Amino acid sequence: MCPIRSQSLFFILRGDRIIVGEVRDAAAIDMLQGLNTGHSGLSTGHANSARDMLSRLETMVLLGSDIPITAVRRQIASAIDLIIHLGRLRDRSRRVLEITEVLECVDGEIELNPLFAFREEGEAEDGTVIGSLKRTGNNLLHVGKLARAKGTGREQLIRRGEGEKHECG
């Protein structure tokens, strides 16, 4: 992996997992390169939505390298499997607002598959937001990729109900 260019903290666990503190600068390219060379991992970043996080990640990579945007997007789509977006609601609580699968880069754009979204159901008398994370109805498309990262066979995921076989339709 390239030398780390920022104050981001990289941990490598068991030689195959990368844990990155908040990604906020040109070191994003180092993270993507690590994730695209056989390491699994996770990181955090700040954005207003899953889509906005992809845009921020693109910008951070471009700050540190002269790479065509299409190549950056392909790297991101290959490296990132899921985006879990947490946000602060008007009652100041933090909730998971969306869980989105990152798909392929098609025609120069990264495709997303929203899996869960927060649905507000009302407000309690004390002003607390009432709501929960709801399935969007979309199935996880890359079950096999996540099963390999987890070390679980695809058949076990399907059997346990954590994923469904996806046939185009």
Side-chain angles (χ1 to χ4, degrees):
M1 190 141 104
C2 297
I4 298 169
R5 299 175 228 186
S6 77
Q7 299 299 320
S8 295
L9 183 59
F10 280 61
F11 291 107
I12 299 180
L13 303 174
R14 295 188 339 230
D16 64 349
R17 294 238 162 88
I18 299 172
I19 309 295
V20 182
E22 180 186 344
V23 176
R24 59 175 127 186
D25 59 21
I29 188 67
D30 298 328
M31 179 192 71
L32 290 176
Q33 287 175 340
L35 293 173
N36 277 321
T37 56
H39 296 84
S40 62
L42 60 95
S43 181
T44 63
H46 291 267
N48 295 319
S49 67
R51 172 71 61 197
D52 285 350
M53 189 64 233
L54 293 177
S55 179
R56 286 209 62 224
L57 195 53
E58 289 173 8
T59 301
M60 288 184 275
V61 169
L62 292 171
L63 287 172
S65 58
D66 186 26
I67 302 173
I69 188 67
T70 303
V72 172
R73 289 177 178 163
R74 285 185 181 139
Q75 286 287 311
I76 291 170
S78 178
I80 309 295
D81 297 318
L82 291 173
I83 297 175
I84 301 172
H85 176 239
L86 282 74
R88 191 177 301 274
L89 301 178
R90 67 181 175 285
D91 65 359
R92 308 297 294 156
S93 65
R94 286 192 188 272
R95 303 276 183 92
V96 174
L97 298 180
E98 63 181 307
I99 300 175
T100 301
E101 180 181 20
V102 179
L103 301 175
E104 293 81 23
C105 184
V106 177
D107 296 327
E109 295 295 323
I110 299 173
E111 293 186 333
L112 297 177
N113 180 29
L115 302 171
F116 294 87
F118 183 81
R119 298 288 182 244
E120 189 173 323
E121 297 158 358
E123 188 174 298
E125 287 182 24
D126 65 357
T128 303
V129 173
I130 300 170
S132 60
L133 203 58
K134 304 284 187 188
R135 288 185 55 82
T136 62
N138 296 338
N139 290 324
L140 181 68
L141 299 180
H142 291 161
V143 175
K145 183 177 180 183
L146 292 177
R148 285 189 302 277
K150 183 179 176 184
T152 304
R154 183 172 194 262
E155 297 76 23
Q156 288 177 304
L157 283 174
I158 293 169
R159 199 173 318 122
R160 289 198 319 236
E162 295 177 18
E164 298 178 44
K165 208 180 242 184
H166 175 71
E167 303 295 332
C168 297

